[in-house]
């Protein structure tokens, strides 16, 4: 029997249904076919994605997903399952809690269909991404709101904005970072998911991202610029943990081409190795759940790259996953809405 009249739908990026070639190709096609991911005319995007990117990248991506897969399946998915269970328990007296994936399953559409049937008075849409980007938060909210707009009875809908500066979020990530002996590392890299510079430019009414001093963090009209909020996140975390700024660098990973936001994390690692840096710790504060980009790209590929270039050690800080401090952050944000 339903007693709560409010629901929370947490939304993450998504993952293939299996590491097999067909499921990975289907996932990449859906993911890269989103106009907020590759923002070019739809016909050109379809041709680029389905005739060039998917055929050329699926085999290597499938291989990586096979390395990532566990007995419970994709880490991103089972961490979301565990997180939902914990948040649901904390909010059981006020909210029903669900999760969905923007791409693949459980789909936003199917989860919202279930919420519509239950007739909630209020729905909170919570993209679990700390820094706003059109490609992530914007895409999820756009997609979900279009689904809700089709309902006969539309409830009160609230959305969670970026929360990179939320004290509970910073505390949760700080706890993970401080599990490492930071004195052991020559450099600490704060590596964020990359985006095309063209998407960052669209945030501004006039000018471009490069016209601003986004490396200094959030100021003026760049409060929704992904690049600026990433640099601000780094600044807030190093101040909280008291890491010397000279020991850190902010960079961006997972690019598709050279026109994405720089510096690139792999190039930073190569430069560090050339400069004689031996021990590196990598933190990824744009990922709240461990996934292909953290476990494989950083934990395996970047580690191999750094050691091949002359480095001795590369560790990465696990993401928040379903940690109790992350649960507390989500619960407090929801209760504060």
């Amino acid at each position: 029997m339903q007693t709560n009249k409010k629901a929370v739908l947490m939304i993450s990026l998504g993952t293939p249904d299996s590491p097999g070639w067909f499921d990975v190709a289907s996932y990449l096609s859906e993911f890269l076919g989103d106009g907020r991911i590759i923002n070019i005319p739809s016909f050109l995007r379809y041709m680029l994605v389905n005739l060039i990117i998917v055929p050329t990248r699926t085999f290597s991506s499938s291989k990586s997903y096979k390395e990532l897969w566990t007995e419970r399946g994709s880490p991103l998915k089972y961490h979301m399952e565990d997180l939902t269970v914990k948040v649901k328990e904390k909010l059981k007296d006020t909210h029903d809690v669900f999760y969905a994936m923007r791409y693949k399953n459980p789909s936003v559409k199917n989860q919202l269909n279930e919420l519509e049937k239950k007739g909630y008075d209020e729905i909170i849409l919570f993209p679990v991404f700390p820094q706003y980007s059109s490609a992530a938060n914007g895409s999820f909210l756009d997609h979900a709101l279009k689904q809700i707009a089709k309902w006969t009875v539309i409830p009160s809908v609230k959305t969670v904005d970026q929360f990179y500066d939320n004290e509970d979020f910073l505390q949760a990530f700080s706890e993970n970072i401080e599990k490492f002996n930071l004195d052991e590392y020559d450099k600490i890299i704060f590596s964020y998911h990359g985006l095309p510079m063209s998407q960052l430019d669209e945030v501004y009414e006039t000018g471009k991202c490069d016209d601003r001093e986004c490396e200094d963090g959030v100021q003026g009209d760049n409060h929704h610029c992904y690049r600026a909020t990433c640099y601000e996140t780094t600044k807030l975390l190093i101040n909280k943990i008291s890491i010397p700024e000279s020991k850190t660098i902010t960079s961006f990973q997972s690019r598709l081409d050279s026109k994405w936001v720089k510096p690139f994390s792999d190039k930073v690692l190569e430069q560090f190795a050339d400069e004689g840096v031996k021990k590196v710790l990598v933190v990824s504060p744009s990922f709240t759940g461990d996934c292909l980009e953290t476990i494989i790209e950083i934990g395996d590929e970047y580690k191999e790259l750094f050691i091949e270039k002359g480095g001795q050690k590369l560790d990465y800080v696990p993401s928040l996953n379903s940690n109790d401090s992350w649960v507390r952050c989500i619960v407090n944000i929801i209760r504060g809405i």
Side-chain angles (χ1 to χ4, degrees):
M1 178 179 177
Q2 179 188 331
T3 57
N4 294 324
K5 291 297 183 180
K6 298 180 180 180
V8 177
L9 181 62
M10 298 188 296
I11 309 170
S12 188
L13 177 69
T15 183
D17 292 330
S18 83
W21 188 94
F22 179 83
D23 283 335
V24 172
S26 177
Y27 168 74
L28 291 176
S29 180
E30 182 179 346
F31 170 45
L32 298 174
D34 184 344
R36 284 182 178 260
I37 301 296
I38 299 179
N39 53 341
I40 60 176
S42 58
F43 176 74
L44 294 177
R45 182 172 62 253
Y46 178 85
M47 299 291 286
L48 174 65
V49 171
N50 294 288
L51 299 184
I52 298 176
I53 298 179
V54 171
T56 58
R57 289 177 64 100
T58 297
F59 179 79
S60 61
S61 293
S62 177
K63 181 179 179 181
S64 295
Y65 275 110
K66 287 176 181 177
E67 295 176 22
L68 175 76
W69 228 251
T70 72
E71 291 183 356
R72 291 188 63 187
S74 167
L76 185 67
K77 188 171 182 178
Y78 70 69
H79 285 314
M80 280 299 295
E81 292 171 352
D82 294 344
L83 180 65
T84 302
V85 169
K86 288 186 173 183
V87 174
K88 182 182 295 186
E89 175 62 24
K90 294 292 184 181
L91 293 172
K92 61 184 179 182
D93 294 332
T94 57
H95 299 75
D96 292 337
V97 182
F98 307 85
Y99 86 95
M101 297 296 187
R102 173 62 182 90
Y103 311 105
K104 291 304 169 183
N105 299 300
S107 71
V108 173
K109 181 178 180 180
N110 287 343
Q111 292 294 68
L112 286 175
N113 284 342
E114 291 301 311
L115 298 189
E116 181 186 16
K117 293 175 184 177
K118 294 181 178 180
Y120 290 101
D121 294 334
E122 178 180 296
I123 294 175
I124 297 173
L125 301 175
F126 195 142
V128 293
F129 292 89
Q131 302 85 13
Y132 178 86
S133 72
S134 175
N137 312 56
S139 176
F140 304 153
L141 295 175
D142 181 13
H143 183 65
L145 291 170
K146 284 178 179 177
Q147 298 295 323
I148 294 173
K150 300 174 185 178
W151 296 2
T152 301
V153 178
I154 298 178
S156 171
V157 179
K158 297 180 179 180
T159 62
V160 174
D161 195 16
Q162 56 187 352
F163 51 90
Y164 66 89
D165 57 349
N166 177 278
E167 184 59 32
D168 290 321
F169 167 73
L170 295 171
Q171 178 62 33
F173 243 109
S174 296
E175 289 175 8
N176 277 15
I177 296 170
E178 290 178 321
K179 291 177 182 177
F180 292 78
N181 182 355
L182 303 183
D183 293 334
E184 289 184 0
Y185 301 94
D186 303 315
K187 292 288 185 178
I188 300 174
I189 300 177
F190 289 82
S191 180
Y192 298 81
H193 199 291
L195 283 177
M197 286 301 298
S198 59
Q199 288 192 18
L200 306 188
D201 294 340
E202 291 178 354
V203 170
Y204 300 101
E205 292 185 11
T206 59
K208 297 182 177 181
C209 179
D210 280 336
D211 299 334
R212 276 76 176 176
E213 300 295 331
C214 290
E215 294 89 347
D216 294 333
V218 174
Q219 54 189 333
D221 65 346
N222 69 358
H223 59 285
H224 274 110
C225 173
Y226 177 76
R227 182 185 181 192
T229 56
C230 289
Y231 275 98
E232 186 72 16
T233 305
T234 298
K235 184 165 65 174
L236 292 170
L237 284 171
I238 65 177
N239 287 341
K240 190 172 184 64
I241 305 172
S242 298
I243 308 171
E245 187 175 353
S246 60
K247 193 174 182 175
T248 71
I249 188 170
T250 295
S251 61
F252 301 87
Q253 62 185 87
S254 310
R255 68 185 183 277
L256 287 181
D257 60 41
S258 62
K259 296 179 181 179
W260 283 40
V261 58
K262 298 176 182 177
F264 300 140
S265 298
D266 57 343
K267 298 301 180 183
V268 167
L269 282 168
E270 289 179 351
Q271 180 181 340
F272 279 170
D274 289 341
E275 294 172 351
V277 172
K278 296 301 181 183
K279 297 180 180 180
V280 171
L281 181 67
V282 184
V283 189
S284 298
S286 60
F287 299 95
T288 56
D290 278 317
C291 54
L292 191 72
E293 288 81 0
T294 60
I295 297 172
I296 302 299
E297 186 173 14
I298 297 175
D300 289 346
E301 296 173 3
Y302 283 4
K303 182 176 182 178
E304 182 179 352
L305 170 67
F306 184 58
I307 292 175
E308 282 182 353
K309 291 291 183 178
Q312 292 180 354
K313 180 179 181 180
L314 184 148
D315 293 328
Y316 81 93
V317 175
S319 196
L320 303 181
N321 297 323
S322 60
N323 292 0
D324 290 343
S325 53
W326 174 218
V327 172
R328 182 168 55 253
C329 173
I330 293 172
V331 169
N332 288 342
I333 290 174
I334 291 170
R335 286 175 174 166
I337 294 177

